[in-house]
């Protein structure tokens, strides 16, 4: 399903942020509809992220993260790869963890490029 209609008018709904899900074979699927999304793994954008840190929340109207996306809905759905802590333990150098409130209300760390944070906040 295309979201191009809304963007023509400068309207973009907030991104629905969900915990990544996998099917019985371990293939990443959309947490909303169950559609396989393994080919979408990479950098994704979260529009209007619900960031826990107030300084970050003011600085970001869009957050780059790493994970999967499902474009089969009239609104964007991103499933960020879970990382552990602000330092992004176990993730690629140059990325750090920021706390985002997911659509289910839980707060989790997601990866974002370190330079994006340092350029806007620090």
């Amino acid at each position: 399903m295309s979201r191009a209609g809304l963007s023509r008018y400068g309207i973009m709904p907030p991104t629905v942020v969900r915990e990544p899900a996998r099917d019985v074979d371990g293939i990443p699927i959309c947490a909303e509809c169950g559609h396989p999304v393994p080919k979408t793994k990479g950098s994704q954008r979260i529009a209007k992220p619900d960031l826990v840190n107030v300084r970050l929340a003011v600085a970001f109207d869009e957050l780059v993260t790493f994970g999967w996306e499902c474009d089969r809905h009239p609104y964007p759905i991103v499933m960020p790869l879970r990382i552990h802590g602000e330092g992004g333990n176990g993730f690629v150098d140059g990325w750090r963890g920021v706390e985002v409130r997911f659509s289910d209300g839980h707060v989790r760390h997601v990866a974002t490029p370190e330079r994006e944070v340092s350029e806007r906040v620090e």
Side-chain angles (χ1 to χ4, degrees), residues 41-42 65-67 81-84 87-97 110-113:
K41 185 177 183 180
T65 192
F66 189 86
L81 182 70
R82 181 180 275 200
I83 64 167
H84 303 286
N89 297 344
F91 201 67
V92 181
D93 287 342
W95 290 69
R96 71 182 275 183
V110 303
T112 196

Side-chain angles (χ1 to χ4, degrees), residues 4-89:
L6 288 175
S7 64
R8 286 184 294 189
Y9 304 104
I11 299 171
M12 190 62 176
T15 302
V16 173
V17 183
R18 295 277 188 213
E19 181 75 10
R22 295 185 180 271
D23 67 10
V24 294
D25 297 320
I27 296 171
I29 60 173
C30 175
E32 293 268 316
C33 70
H35 181 74
V37 294
K39 294 181 181 176
T40 67
K41 185 177 183 180
S43 292
Q44 309 296 341
R45 296 185 179 279
I46 300 174
K48 303 173 186 167
D50 188 358
L51 293 160
V52 175
N53 182 299
V54 175
R55 290 177 56 210
L56 291 176
V58 171
F60 286 92
D61 58 348
E62 183 176 74
L63 184 73
V64 174
T65 192
F66 189 86
W68 299 267
E69 178 183 27
C70 185
D71 63 1
R72 296 175 53 106
H73 308 273
Y75 47 88
I77 297 176
V78 169
M79 294 146 291
L81 182 70
R82 181 180 275 200
I83 64 167
H84 303 286
E86 189 174 307
N89 297 344

Side-chain angles (χ1 to χ4, degrees), residues 85-112:
E86 189 174 307
N89 297 344
F91 201 67
V92 181
D93 287 342
W95 290 69
R96 71 182 275 183
V98 296
E99 289 183 309
V100 174
R101 185 167 289 103
F102 281 43
S103 297
D104 63 5
H106 288 94
V107 174
R108 299 174 178 93
H109 282 91
V110 303
T112 196

